[in-house]
Amino acid sequence: MTHPALFVGAVAIAMLSGGASAQSALPDQLRDLVSKIADSGPGLTSAQKAQRQKEFDSIKTIPAAELRQGPGGRRAVEFCGRGEMRQSANRVAITGADGQIRMVRLAWVFAPEEPQRDGRGALVNGMQFADLKDLCVVVVSEQGQDDRGHRRYVGTVFNAAGQDVALELLKMGLAWHWTQYAEKGQNRRAYQQYAAAQKWTRDWKVGLFADPHPIAPWTFQQPPSASRK
């Protein structure tokens, strides 16, 4: 049986190659598929499937409006534009109405990137939520400029459907909750939901966690010399 997350990716690829009419139908179909991930675990009893679905349904997106209110009553910076995610599920370029391009690193998660296993799957699935979509970013931090002069940010990315792109990747088991940073700076309620998504994928062996020895992306990308220290 094809794993649900990989099935979503396969559907996405087929739809992307199927012309404009197929692409326009993708969001609703994708949402339906994702909502049913919990009910497709092979070898589970009816009671287990029901429990799996209940736990999945309890994972909730914290609205952007709540994240905008920063510590001490300070309002977080936010900007919106058209998204482009083509190289990594961790990053999206957002073009504003003024034509300015801002580069955004998804906050609090780390998805695998090629050549790591499932790097392509994470990108393809992430694209369905962020590529060529209207997006808004609640900024966590500014990171200067890249070599093309584009401003760089770390932030929580929401699409027009109100979906937190990073959380959707977590729910499909295609990213890790980057607790090294999240424990210190993530909104507490959002942290709890991200952690619940991570626990769910681990407990039910979804996506990356179907592997008995999954490798965190930050470990995979660590230089060999650094890993020996």
Side-chain angles (χ1 to χ4, degrees):
M1 180 177 180
T2 301
H3 190 277
L6 299 181
F7 178 57
V8 172
V11 170
I13 292 171
M15 297 293 280
L16 285 171
S17 63
S21 61
Q23 291 183 38
S24 65
L26 179 59
D28 287 340
Q29 291 194 25
L30 183 67
R31 280 194 291 272
D32 290 343
L33 283 170
V34 171
S35 70
K36 294 175 182 176
I37 284 176
D39 194 38
S40 58
L44 299 181
T45 66
S46 296
Q48 287 174 321
K49 287 186 177 183
Q51 180 62 28
R52 196 173 191 242
Q53 186 71 55
K54 180 180 179 181
E55 292 173 4
F56 183 83
D57 292 342
S58 70
I59 301 168
K60 305 296 184 183
T61 298
I62 302 304
E66 183 171 335
L67 301 187
R68 293 186 195 118
Q69 195 64 38
R74 290 178 290 129
R75 193 172 182 80
V77 175
E78 181 179 4
F79 58 83
C80 301
R82 193 70 167 171
E84 183 173 349
M85 178 186 280
R86 299 296 170 88
Q87 302 300 321
S88 163
N90 293 309
R91 299 174 183 84
V92 59
I94 298 180
T95 304
D98 58 0
Q100 182 178 357
I101 298 175
R102 298 177 175 89
M103 309 302 294
V104 181
R105 173 52 163 95
L106 299 186
W108 320 125
V109 300
F110 202 150
E113 299 176 340
E114 293 187 291
Q116 184 176 2
R117 177 183 175 184
D118 294 316
R120 181 63 180 170
L123 172 59
V124 169
N125 282 283
M127 287 175 67
Q128 311 320 308
F129 296 103
D131 190 52
L132 302 180
K133 300 290 191 296
D134 292 325
L135 305 173
C136 286
V137 180
V138 178
V139 174
V140 173
S141 65
E142 298 188 30
Q143 303 288 312
Q145 296 183 339
D146 64 13
D147 55 7
R148 295 185 179 183
H150 300 144
R151 298 292 299 176
R152 298 186 305 155
Y153 300 84
V154 174
T156 303
V157 178
F158 293 88
N159 59 26
Q163 295 166 309
D164 176 342
V165 175
L167 182 60
E168 295 304 321
L169 284 171
L170 282 174
K171 287 161 63 178
M172 289 189 289
L174 289 173
W176 295 63
H177 190 197
W178 208 351
T179 55
Q180 175 184 351
Y181 299 100
E183 287 176 348
K184 301 174 183 177
Q186 190 175 12
N187 170 282
R188 288 297 89 189
R189 288 220 310 135
Y191 181 95
Q192 292 168 0
Q193 296 307 308
Y194 277 48
Q198 185 82 101
K199 183 178 185 303
W200 187 86
T201 56
R202 282 181 177 277
D203 288 351
W204 296 104
K205 304 185 187 308
V206 171
L208 302 171
F209 303 101
D211 186 327
H213 303 290
I215 300 173
W218 53 84
T219 300
F220 181 86
Q221 294 185 10
Q222 190 176 38
S225 58
S227 65
R228 288 195 295 266
K229 292 181 179 178

